[in-house]
C-alpha cells in the first residue's frame, strides 16, 4: 500500500495536517508511527485505514480487508459486546457460523468472555479497547491499523498486542501502529515513521538495534511453546512452516517445523549472531 503525495486538511482554508506524504508499507511489514501529540499521527492512520479521504493525492493498493482500531473505541452504542461483534462479523463478510467462531475465539483470547452480555457504554476504557481489537481481528486483516493500542489495557493484554501484530505480519498482512508510550521496544525490527509539522519521514533503526534472521527447527508438537518463549524474549516471529527434512539430531520418526525469527538481540561488531 502506498500513500502518494497525500495532503489533508479538515477545513477548506484550514492548516494542512498532512503535507506531501509519500510512504509505502509492504506485505508482512510492521511500521510504528512516532511523534508528539497533535502532529497528525492519528490523521495519517485514518487516511491509511480509509476512514479519511485525502484532500489531495491518493492511497493505492490498500488491502481489501482492513482492521481499524481507533485510540478511543466509540462505546456509546446501544449494543452488548456479543451483539456488536456479531454485527461487525457480518459487516466483514463472514457467514453466521464463521462469525460465531471468531467471536468465541477473540472474546476468550482477550478476556472478554465475562462481558459478552454487557452493553458497550457500561465498559471501562480498557475493556472497550479490547472490543475494538476483537472487531478488527474477526476476519484476518490484510492491513491492521492500531492507534495507540496499549492505552488503558491491562498488563496481560498489553503483552498480547505484539503477539497479534506478529500473527498478522507472519500471515502476510501489513501493520501500522502509533506509539507515544515507548512500547516500540515490544516490536523489534519494525520500521519507523516520524510525523512532525505534517511531514512524514522514515528513520533508520539505531545501529545497536541491528537484527539477524534465524531459522530454528523444533519438534512439531512443541512449536506453540517455542513460539511463545521466543516472543516472550522479545523476538519477532516471521513465519512457521513444516520442515520436510528433520535435522539429524531429532529422533527417528519425529516430525519437525521450522520457526523463522528476526531476533531482537543486537549483532556485535565481530558478526556474532542472535540467540
Amino acid at each position: 500500500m502506498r500513500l502518494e503525495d497525500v495532503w489533508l486538511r479538515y477545513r477548506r482554508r484550514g492548516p494542512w495536517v498532512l503535507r506531501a506524504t509519500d510512504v509505502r508499507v509492504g506485505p508482512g511489514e510492521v511500521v510504528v508511527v512516532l511523534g508528539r501529540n497533535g502532529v497528525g499521527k492519528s490523521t495519517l492512520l485514518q487516511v491509511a485505514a480509509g476512514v479519511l479521504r485525502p484532500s489531495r493525492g491518493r492511497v493505492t493498493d490498500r488491502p481489501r480487508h482492513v482492521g481499524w482500531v481507533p485510540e478511543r473505541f466509540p462505546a456509546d452504542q446501544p449494543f452488548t459486546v456479543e451483539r456488536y461483534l456479531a454485527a461487525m462479523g457480518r459487516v466483514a463478510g463472514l457467514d453466521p457460523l464463521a462469525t460465531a467462531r471468531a467471536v468465541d475465539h477473540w472474546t476468550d483470547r482477550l478476556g472478554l468472555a465475562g462481558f459478552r452480555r454487557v452493553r458497550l457504554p457500561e465498559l471501562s476504557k480498557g475493556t472497550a479497547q479490547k472490543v475494538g481489537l476483537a472487531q478488527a481481528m474477526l476476519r484476518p486483516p490484510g492491513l491492521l491499523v492500531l492507534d495507540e493500542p496499549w492505552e488503558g489495557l491491562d498488563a496481560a493484554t498489553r503483552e498480547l498486542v505484539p503477539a497479534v501484530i506478529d500473527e498478522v505480519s507472519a500471515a502476510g498482512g501489513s501493520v501500522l501502529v502509533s506509539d507515544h508510550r515507548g512500547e516500540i521496544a515490544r516490536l523489534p525490527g519494525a520500521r519507523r515513521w516520524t510525523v512532525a509539522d505534517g511531514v512524514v519521514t522514515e528513520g533508520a533503526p539505531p545501529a545497536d538495534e541491528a537484527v539477524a534472521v534465524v531459522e530454528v527447527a523444533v519438534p512439531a508438537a512443541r512449536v506453540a511453546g517455542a513460539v511463545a518463549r521466543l516472543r516472550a524474549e522479545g523476538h519477532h516471529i516471521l513465519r512457521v512452516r513444516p520442515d520436510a527434512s528433520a535435522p539429524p539430531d531429532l529422533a527417528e520418526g519425529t516430525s519437525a517445523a521450522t520457526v523463522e525469527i528476526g531476533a531482537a538481540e543486537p549483532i556485535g561488531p565481530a558478526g556474532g549472531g542472535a540467540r
Side-chain angles (χ1 to χ4, degrees):
M1 181 185 70
R2 179 175 176 181
L3 279 64
E4 299 180 350
D5 193 28
V6 165
W7 296 65
L8 187 141
R9 58 185 173 188
Y10 289 99
R11 301 184 308 278
R12 184 174 181 182
R13 298 186 182 278
W16 291 106
V17 181
L18 294 177
R19 298 185 291 119
T21 300
D22 200 322
V23 291
R24 68 178 67 200
V25 56
E29 292 187 327
V30 179
V31 177
V32 177
V33 180
L34 304 168
R36 296 180 293 102
N37 286 336
V39 298
K41 297 193 305 297
S42 291
T43 299
L44 175 65
L45 295 181
Q46 289 179 67
V47 170
V51 178
L52 293 176
R53 295 182 62 182
S55 305
R56 299 179 187 171
R58 62 178 185 163
V59 180
T60 61
D61 298 324
R62 181 188 288 118
R64 180 179 179 184
H65 299 296
V66 178
W68 159 242
V69 184
E71 182 177 3
R72 283 191 173 273
F73 175 75
D76 55 342
Q77 304 178 63
F79 306 106
T80 63
V81 170
E82 186 172 59
R83 285 186 58 206
Y84 172 77
L85 292 177
M88 294 306 293
R90 292 193 294 273
V91 170
L94 298 176
D95 62 50
L97 181 58
T99 295
R101 288 174 176 168
V103 170
D104 287 346
H105 172 76
W106 285 104
T107 52
D108 287 347
R109 190 169 180 190
L110 293 171
L112 290 168
F115 296 91
R116 291 180 62 138
R117 290 176 174 77
V118 177
R119 296 175 66 251
L120 296 179
E122 300 171 11
L123 301 175
S124 68
K125 178 184 177 182
T127 303
Q129 287 299 97
K130 292 182 185 182
V131 176
L133 182 57
Q135 64 81 23
M137 294 298 300
L138 291 174
R139 182 165 194 158
L143 171 66
L144 178 62
V145 183
L146 305 170
D147 193 356
E148 302 293 348
W150 289 280
E151 282 297 315
L153 295 181
D154 54 75
T157 311
R158 285 200 302 271
E159 294 293 335
L160 181 60
V161 171
V164 171
I165 291 173
D166 274 350
E167 290 165 16
V168 172
S169 63
S174 306
V175 182
L176 297 179
V177 52
S178 65
D179 174 33
H180 77 265
R181 293 170 48 98
E183 301 281 356
I184 189 173
R186 299 175 186 265
L187 302 173
R191 293 167 56 195
R192 293 173 173 148
W193 294 348
T194 299
V195 185
D197 298 324
V199 176
V200 183
T201 57
E202 178 156 9
D208 62 355
E209 288 190 8
V211 297
V213 175
V214 180
E215 286 191 340
V216 181
V218 299
R222 293 166 53 191
V223 167
V227 167
R229 287 192 299 273
L230 289 166
R231 283 184 175 139
E233 292 173 4
H235 300 298
H236 178 59
I237 305 300
L238 301 179
R239 62 174 176 165
V240 177
R241 60 180 173 83
D243 194 344
S245 57
D249 57 341
L250 284 179
E252 184 177 356
T254 301
S255 59
T258 294
V259 180
E260 186 176 332
I261 62 173
E265 288 288 319
I267 300 175
R275 290 180 299 180

